[in-house]
Amino acid sequence: MQERSCRSLFAHFTALEDPRVERTKLHPLLEVVFIAVCALLSGANDFVGMEKFGNSKRVWLKKYLELPNGIPSHDTFGRVIRAIAPQQFVNCFRSWVATYEEQTNGEQICIDGKTARASLDRAREQNPLHVVSAWATEQGLLLGQVAVDEKSNEITAIPKLLEMLELKGALVTIDAMGCQNEIAEKIHAKGGDDILAVKGNQEHLEEDIIEAFAAADDRRERGQTRSLPDAHESQDDSHGRKEHRRCEALPVPKTLRSPERWPGILSICRVTRTYVDKGEEKSEVRYFISTLPAKAKRLATGVRQHWGIENGLHWVLDMVFAEDRSRARLGNGQENMALLRRWALSVQRQNKTLKGSIEKKRLQTGWDEKNLEKLLKLF
């Protein structure tokens, strides 16, 4: 790869070890990875798309690559990406993310998992790949990922993910599976705050929170004003669906058993969501603990923004990058492709030059090589 291209974000790949034996190295590793990422940025979703992108952009690629044996075939892309060590790939990605870490101070970091359903391989008794991601909501930036073979393994994956993150000053939000003592301790130790969803997976915790809010409801019904929850209400009429949310927050009650198990906890929270589904009014109630003070508006914002990982990451991966249809099942292919998709999405999220959705940005990147050069800083 020529020197000027190494000044781009792909300089972060230089520490990547080539997993191939010498006689099979027809195409330089960095060139294979470079073309793969350019293709994903420009609308390709699989190994065949990478080959087609390379052939259509051969003249442009020669500006930056040697291409000693032409454009790799789709089989070559598959073999190389399947063989790369996933942790090394993640380290390369983290090297790039480090250039943004100063901007994540005070950011909300949502942690959630997503299953690539088409990666299920019953013939090989292989479970579908489940990727736990850390997503900086406001920037639309992936901060890290850990892959496991079952959703239930999120409990062991989240601490590993937290280890690689800078959490000082950040707000970490996690669904109920991540409401674990070890996870809360790690966030607190690294200087972060948290909002953790609560269900019945922790002994007495949900029960005590429900009773605390029931007692507050009773005081309100009897006309008392003492120790009532701070409340915040909001209405959402977007996407043709009306939702009403009421968030109520209380300081940690004295009746909460074993509060020392949750370092830094300051508040408990109840969110009631009422909505109309197919003409029928429905409601759901969810409970949370947090190291933030019992200010309902702030907590409501954190709970609401947690869904940013679902809308801004998971939905886009399926609808735009076709992740849920990906059948790259062999070796490390599915895990490494999952990271490449998330990397490409993060790069496009930082793209302020082009306007429109991620799908439109990918198309414009593929159509105009100048857009791709600006995106990759190839100048």
Side-chain angles (χ1 to χ4, degrees):
M1 189 176 293
Q2 297 179 13
E3 182 180 354
R4 57 180 165 174
S5 66
C6 287
R7 293 200 299 265
S8 73
L9 72 87
F10 295 99
H12 301 288
F13 281 116
T14 55
L16 195 62
E17 295 180 10
D18 196 328
R20 300 170 293 175
V21 298
E22 199 63 37
R23 62 182 171 79
T24 64
K25 296 179 181 180
L26 298 179
H27 305 277
L29 177 64
L30 288 184
E31 295 197 2
V32 176
V33 174
F34 183 90
I35 298 171
V37 179
C38 287
L40 281 169
L41 287 168
S42 304
N45 289 329
D46 53 27
F47 302 137
V48 172
M50 293 173 187
E51 179 184 356
K52 290 184 178 297
F53 170 86
N55 286 324
S56 68
K57 298 291 184 180
R58 184 191 297 263
V59 174
W60 176 78
L61 289 168
K62 286 289 287 184
K63 293 171 60 177
Y64 302 102
L65 310 179
E66 299 297 334
L67 300 178
N69 291 290
I71 301 299
S73 69
H74 63 276
D75 286 333
T76 298
F77 280 112
R79 282 193 299 270
V80 171
I81 291 175
R82 285 195 296 265
I84 292 172
Q87 189 54 56
Q88 288 187 18
F89 226 16
V90 170
N91 290 342
C92 294
F93 172 76
R94 286 291 304 149
S95 172
W96 174 68
V97 169
T99 63
Y100 286 85
E101 282 192 336
E102 286 187 6
Q103 300 178 37
T104 62
N105 186 39
E107 177 82 80
Q108 179 167 338
I109 300 174
C110 305
I111 295 180
D112 199 10
K114 179 183 181 299
T115 299
R117 302 188 187 284
S119 62
L120 172 66
D121 192 340
R122 290 189 175 89
R124 294 184 174 86
E125 297 183 348
Q126 175 181 298
N127 291 325
L129 183 75
H130 190 76
V131 177
V132 183
S133 302
W135 182 249
T137 304
E138 294 177 19
Q139 291 190 83
L141 179 68
L142 180 75
L143 302 179
Q145 75 171 40
V146 173
V148 293
D149 62 356
E150 290 185 3
K151 180 175 175 60
S152 60
N153 290 338
E154 280 191 22
I155 294 174
T156 57
I158 293 174
K160 295 176 183 177
L161 185 56
L162 293 173
E163 279 294 337
M164 66 177 71
L165 302 178
E166 173 57 57
L167 299 181
K168 188 174 182 180
L171 172 63
V172 180
T173 57
I174 312 177
D175 66 14
M177 188 171 288
C179 186
Q180 305 288 330
N181 308 129
E182 177 189 0
I183 290 170
E185 288 172 2
K186 192 171 290 292
I187 295 170
H188 185 70
K190 298 193 74 171
D193 282 306
D194 61 50
I195 300 176
L196 304 179
V198 174
K199 285 188 177 178
N201 58 337
Q202 292 292 329
E203 186 178 12
H204 303 308
L205 182 60
E206 184 181 38
E207 176 187 343
D208 291 348
I209 294 173
I210 291 173
E211 289 183 357
F213 279 106
D217 292 340
D218 183 61
R219 290 193 295 272
R220 183 186 295 110
E221 289 175 3
R222 288 190 278 115
Q224 296 182 10
T225 58
R226 176 181 58 84
S227 303
L228 294 182
D230 186 48
H232 174 75
E233 298 191 31
S234 62
Q235 190 84 20
D236 186 357
D237 297 331
S238 61
H239 306 293
R241 181 173 179 172
K242 292 186 177 182
E243 290 188 356
H244 177 266
R245 300 182 197 87
R246 178 177 173 84
C247 178
E248 300 165 281
L250 285 169
V252 176
K254 294 180 180 179
T255 54
L256 189 74
R257 282 169 276 189
S258 304
E260 70 280 356
R261 298 175 62 210
W262 307 100
I265 182 173
L266 293 179
S267 61
I268 61 173
C269 175
R270 177 173 68 181
V271 176
T272 305
R273 185 169 71 100
T274 305
Y275 59 98
V276 177
D277 183 22
K278 297 179 180 178
E280 181 182 355
E281 185 172 295
K282 298 181 179 180
S283 66
E284 69 171 12
V285 181
R286 302 179 67 200
Y287 298 94
F288 303 84
I289 58 173
S290 179
T291 58
L292 296 177
K295 301 296 183 182
K297 186 175 182 179
R298 178 68 185 95
L299 290 166
T301 300
V303 170
R304 179 64 176 160
Q305 286 187 344
H306 180 75
W307 294 107
I309 193 171
E310 186 66 37
N311 299 326
L313 178 63
H314 296 167
W315 187 88
V316 176
L317 288 171
D318 283 341
M319 301 304 295
V320 180
F321 288 83
E323 178 165 275
D324 217 24
R325 300 190 296 278
S326 174
R327 300 176 67 84
R329 296 169 174 173
L330 300 178
N332 302 319
Q334 188 64 263
E335 185 171 348
N336 288 334
M337 281 296 294
L339 180 62
L340 282 174
R341 291 186 202 101
R342 286 157 175 76
W343 194 336
L345 173 55
S346 293
V347 172
Q348 289 288 16
R349 288 285 189 201
Q350 311 314 304
N351 182 2
K352 307 304 180 186
T353 302
L354 301 176
K355 304 298 181 183
S357 66
I358 295 298
E359 182 180 19
K360 298 300 187 294
K361 286 184 177 182
R362 293 179 83 201
L363 290 174
Q364 292 176 81
T365 300
W367 290 334
D368 190 341
E369 292 153 3
K370 291 181 180 179
N371 288 332
L372 188 53
E373 288 173 335
K374 288 179 182 178
L375 196 58
L376 303 181
K377 304 177 181 178
L378 299 177
F379 38 70

